[in-house]
């Protein structure tokens, strides 16, 4: 009998300590071992996105965007369902209207369905930012540590 896919839990059973930087997987988008900054000051998580293009389909609004999550790889095109557009105050205080996508996210052994806003993070050191809404699932941030769930060097070639 084939194994049934587990529905992602909404909360961790036990708190998990993470560092200020961790590796994140986005399996629905085909993106793995992405360096992410953990940011308790940001409400919503975000991913680096360029050349955004909204697409109306029979299934609803989709958004096409280009991203580059690894310095040694070319940009790739991704299409994902848009669940909203939100006003987000960026780190410099500017309010931006951003598309929000919903996707499966994984840090360490924990997998959940979460939201990512699409933002141009080209000038940022990390292509993904993990915000408080994702962290509230039971992650505890140790600001003195990083890569507690796996080191970037462990990325598959």
């Amino acid at each position: 009998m084939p194994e049934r896919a587990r529905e992602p839990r909404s909360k961790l059973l036990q708190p998990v300590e993470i560092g200020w930087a961790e590796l994140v997987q986005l399996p629905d988008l085909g993106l793995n071992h992405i360096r992410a900054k953990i940011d308790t000051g940001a409400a919503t998580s975000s991913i680096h996105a360029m050349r955004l293009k909204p697409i109306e389909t029979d299934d609803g609004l989709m958004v096409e965007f280009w991203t580059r999550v690894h310095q040694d790889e070319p940009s790739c095109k991704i299409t994902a369902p848009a669940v909203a557009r939100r006003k987000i105050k960026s780190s410099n205080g500017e309010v931006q209207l951003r598309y929000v996508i919903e996707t499966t996210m994984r840090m360490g052994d924990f997998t959940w369905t979460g939201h990512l806003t699409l933002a141009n993070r080209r000038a940022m050191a990390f292509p993904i930012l993990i915000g408080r809404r994702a962290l509230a699932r039971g992650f505890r941030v140790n600001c003195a540590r990083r890569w507690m769930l796996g080191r970037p060097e462990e990325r598959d070639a």
Side-chain angles (χ1 to χ4, degrees), residues 52-89:
L52 281 78
K53 178 180 167 186
I55 303 167
E56 285 290 341
T57 69
D58 292 340
D59 296 328
L61 181 64
M62 304 288 283
V63 63
E64 177 184 283
F65 62 97
W66 288 79
T67 191
R68 187 170 107 181
V69 294
H70 301 296
Q71 292 292 327
D72 58 342
E73 295 177 2
S75 297
C76 63
K77 182 169 69 168
I78 294 177
T79 303
V83 294
R85 284 190 82 185
R86 287 191 198 140
K87 288 182 181 178
I88 304 289
K89 186 184 281 189

Side-chain angles (χ1 to χ4, degrees), residues 47-52 65-68 117-121 127:
I47 185 171
H48 174 58
M50 309 168 291
R51 302 187 337 232
L52 281 78
F65 62 97
W66 288 79
T67 191
R68 187 170 107 181
T117 65
L118 304 180
N120 188 331
R121 297 184 53 78

Side-chain angles (χ1 to χ4, degrees), residues 108-129:
D109 293 332
F110 186 66
T111 302
W112 72 96
T113 301
H115 289 174
L116 290 168
T117 65
L118 304 180
N120 188 331
R121 297 184 53 78
R122 178 180 56 232
M124 307 297 176
F126 294 86
I128 289 189
L129 181 138

Side-chain angles (χ1 to χ4, degrees), residues 85-152:
R85 284 190 82 185
R86 287 191 198 140
K87 288 182 181 178
I88 304 289
K89 186 184 281 189
S90 68
S91 58
N92 65 9
E94 177 186 332
V95 176
Q96 302 170 335
L97 189 59
R98 295 185 190 167
Y99 285 101
V100 180
I101 63 170
E102 184 175 82
T103 191
T104 302
M105 302 171 74
R106 184 169 43 246
M107 269 196 320
D109 293 332
F110 186 66
T111 302
W112 72 96
T113 301
H115 289 174
L116 290 168
T117 65
L118 304 180
N120 188 331
R121 297 184 53 78
R122 178 180 56 232
M124 307 297 176
F126 294 86
I128 289 189
L129 181 138
I130 300 296
R132 288 190 311 271
R133 287 188 181 112
L135 298 173
R137 298 172 193 292
F139 293 105
R140 289 190 183 156
V141 182
N142 180 339
C143 63
R145 303 275 313 267
R146 64 182 177 160
W147 316 127
M148 293 180 71
L149 303 177
R151 300 197 54 78

